[in-house]
């Protein structure tokens, strides 16, 4: 389930992986500075006793990881930034 949104900045296009719903971060596979392939799992969330994988919509470099395991997040919260 790719959940990324393109955001334009003056330097370059940044894509943000966002939470599809509120929940708790179970694990973070994304590592800042690493390259990821399209459809790679970035973060796993738990919401309503279900685990949801947030995946990269395209091949990119991870520029920022905004969460860590155990973090509670709101729906549409930015989890990972890609460029």
């Amino acid at each position: 389930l790719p959940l990324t949104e393109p955001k334009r900045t003056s330097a370059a296009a940044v894509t943000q992986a966002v939470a599809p719903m509120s929940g708790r971060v179970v694990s973070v596979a994304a590592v800042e500075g690493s390259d990821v392939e399209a459809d790679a799992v970035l973060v796993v969330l738990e919401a309503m006793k279900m685990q949801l994988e947030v995946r990269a919509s395209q091949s990119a470099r991870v520029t920022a990881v905004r969460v860590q395991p155990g973090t509670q997040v709101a729906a549409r919260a930015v989890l990972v930034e890609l460029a």
Side-chain angles (χ1 to χ4, degrees):
L1 179 63
L3 292 166
T4 53
E5 300 178 340
K7 300 287 184 186
R8 295 278 177 202
T9 65
S10 57
V14 173
T15 302
Q16 297 178 329
V18 297
M21 59 177 37
S22 59
R24 182 179 61 86
V25 176
V26 175
S27 65
V28 179
V31 177
E32 194 168 323
S34 67
D35 293 322
V36 294
E37 296 296 322
D39 205 38
V41 175
L42 302 172
V43 176
V44 178
L45 297 175
E46 184 175 78
M48 301 186 320
K49 299 191 182 200
M50 295 184 311
Q51 289 199 351
L52 305 166
E53 294 178 337
V54 178
R55 296 177 175 266
S57 62
Q58 62 192 28
S59 296
R61 177 166 298 218
V62 177
T63 57
V65 177
R66 303 287 182 207
V67 294
Q68 59 188 4
T71 304
Q72 291 287 333
V73 295
R76 310 302 294 163
V78 176
L79 307 173
V80 177
E81 293 182 3
L82 306 167

